[in-house]
Amino acid sequence: MAENSPFPHIVTRLGAGRIRRSAVAVTAALTAVSLLSACGYGSKSTDNSSVAPVAAASGAKLSASTVKIGYFANLTHGTPLVGLKEGLFQKELGATQIKPQVFNAGPAEIEALNAGSIDIGWVGPSPAINGYVKSSGQDLKIIGGSASGGVKLVVNPDKVKSLDDLKGKKIATPQLGNTQDVALLNYLAGKGFKEDPQSGKGDVSVLRTDNKVTPDAYKSGSIDGAWVPEPTASKLVTLGAKVLLDESDLWPDKKFVITNIVVSQKFLKEHPDVVEAVLRGSVNTNAFIKANPAQARTDANDAIKANGGGSLDPAILDPAWQSITFLDDPLAGTLQAEADHAVTAGLLKKPDLAGIYDLTLLDKVLTAKGLPAVADAGLAAQ
């Protein structure tokens, strides 16, 4: 499905054409419209589905009668999955009704935010960057963090025994230019491997493969490994793959942003009390997840199943959940680093992210709870 180009600063304009997808990889010509999106810098927009509104609780009504919240039915979106199921957001919102909406890809969620179809959303770092840059900083703000980690390089242990064995191998990523694709390309560049970022050809064959078909590609021997998020990584492990590298090990303090909270600037300006209430719910949910990991894991799995995703087997769910850290800090320094990695990979010119964060309300919530404020890495409006 064609989309408007999510970044106006793409270095190389690719030829027009349709995205051709096989069970193994996305190959051939990729248009500029598919380059930088979804959970990273390039996943297609897919249909989204609404879920039933959450019944409003009694209590004081805030400045908006409803708040429309978007998220994915993914483990890395555990905060909204758990918080909605446990009623922790509604408790803070009182008589303001929550209207949740589930999305399958970042571009659709950002488009919905820009159109006013949702007010607040949980989304990956790259869609947030995309939306901010495309609108010249006018449409959204990142107002909080949600999750870190949950990304691994898993390989066939019979073919790849160490990182030095990657040359000549076929490694899958979810999409051209998505967060994991950028991470792999950046890692390979750091190791001295030569790669063409658009085609994926080079010392290592980078095959862009939908996460849904990656396990079958691995079973068939069409790929030798994959740099993928959870739960795909743990699914591959159940098929005999081994974890060669946890991406967290490449980052300072083993933390990097995988999910942010974003808000429409219009909604933030008109309803700061509602935004603050949602942030309180998020902070309370992350505390609940930390204090009740087993219940939170069950809640997330139940929510995924309720949203049509299918329940995850414990052999997949347990290690996948353990590899994700839920936190309030947006890890702003790593957002800039992820953008820089895309520049290194040759996928875009350096974007201007000044002003992308507004952490005022989050810091207010954290301070009220006796928790330290979080850093914006110099990327908040002055």
Side-chain angles (χ1 to χ4, degrees):
M1 181 184 300
E3 305 169 23
N4 292 329
S5 177
F7 253 117
H9 306 297
I10 297 171
V11 175
T12 304
R13 182 179 297 276
L14 302 179
R18 295 194 177 195
I19 299 176
R20 302 184 185 278
R21 189 186 302 274
S22 69
V24 178
V26 178
T27 57
L30 284 163
T31 66
V33 299
S34 68
L35 202 50
L36 305 173
S37 47
C39 289
Y41 294 93
S43 180
K44 68 178 182 178
S45 172
T46 56
D47 293 339
N48 59 70
S49 58
S50 298
V51 294
V54 177
S58 60
K61 181 179 177 182
L62 302 180
S63 64
S65 59
T66 62
V67 57
K68 296 166 287 188
I69 295 177
Y71 58 95
F72 293 4
N74 289 350
L75 290 180
T76 53
H77 289 229
T79 303
L81 294 177
V82 174
L84 289 171
K85 185 171 176 60
E86 291 288 339
L88 297 173
F89 288 102
Q90 193 60 69
K91 181 179 179 181
E92 298 300 326
L93 287 161
T96 298
Q97 184 184 40
I98 298 172
K99 290 188 175 180
Q101 191 167 6
V102 177
F103 294 84
N104 293 325
E109 185 170 344
I110 295 300
E111 288 167 8
L113 187 81
N114 293 342
S117 298
I118 62 170
D119 306 309
I120 298 173
W122 273 255
V123 74
S126 301
I129 292 172
N130 299 344
Y132 188 76
V133 173
K134 281 184 65 177
S135 69
S136 299
Q138 299 302 306
D139 287 343
L140 65 80
K141 291 284 188 182
I142 298 175
I143 55 171
S146 182
S148 169
V151 180
K152 299 169 185 174
L153 170 62
V154 292
V155 299
N156 183 331
D158 295 330
K159 297 181 179 180
V160 183
K161 299 186 183 300
S162 73
L163 293 168
D164 294 332
D165 295 332
L166 289 175
K167 188 171 184 178
K169 301 302 188 296
K170 296 170 288 187
I171 305 298
T173 63
Q175 288 281 341
L176 168 62
N178 97 312
T179 301
Q180 290 78 51
D181 190 63
V182 168
L184 174 59
L185 291 172
N186 181 70
Y187 180 79
L188 295 175
K191 292 295 183 181
F193 290 113
K194 303 300 182 184
E195 300 291 327
D196 177 72
Q198 278 77 38
S199 70
K201 295 180 179 179
D203 292 333
V204 177
S205 294
V206 180
L207 304 178
R208 282 70 186 230
T209 309
D210 192 297
N211 283 331
K212 293 179 180 179
V213 300
T214 296
D216 288 335
Y218 178 82
K219 285 191 293 185
S220 72
S222 299
I223 59 173
D224 302 313
W227 191 300
V228 285
E230 294 289 11
T232 305
S234 291
K235 171 64 174 178
L236 293 175
V237 170
T238 65
L239 299 177
K242 299 295 183 183
V243 176
L244 191 63
L245 178 69
D246 187 319
E247 189 179 338
S248 296
D249 292 334
L250 301 177
W251 290 89
D253 300 322
K254 296 188 175 184
K255 292 179 181 179
F256 64 101
V257 60
I258 195 69
T259 310
N260 288 306
I261 310 173
V262 298
V263 66
S264 156
Q265 290 190 34
K266 181 176 184 293
F267 191 83
L268 176 61
K269 181 179 180 180
E270 295 177 354
H271 305 290
D273 58 332
V274 178
V275 176
E276 182 180 338
V278 171
L279 286 171
R280 282 198 304 271
S282 179
V283 170
N284 291 341
T285 298
N286 289 337
F288 176 88
I289 291 172
K290 184 176 181 179
N292 306 276
Q295 182 60 50
R297 183 176 65 236
T298 298
D299 286 345
N301 202 21
D302 289 347
I304 289 172
K305 182 178 180 180
N307 287 313
S311 185
L312 295 171
D313 185 271
I316 299 172
L317 175 64
D318 293 351
W321 185 259
Q322 290 172 11
S323 71
I324 302 168
T325 300
F326 295 96
L327 73 181
D328 308 309
D329 190 340
L331 303 173
T334 69
L335 183 85
Q336 181 66 69
E338 289 188 30
D340 292 344
H341 292 169
V343 174
T344 299
L347 293 175
L348 72 150
K349 292 181 179 178
K350 189 176 182 66
D352 182 4
L353 301 182
I356 193 171
Y357 288 100
D358 187 341
L359 303 178
T360 306
L361 292 177
L362 176 61
D363 284 340
K364 179 181 177 182
V365 170
L366 293 173
T367 299
K369 293 180 175 294
L371 299 171
V374 296
D376 58 33
L379 298 178
Q382 301 301 316

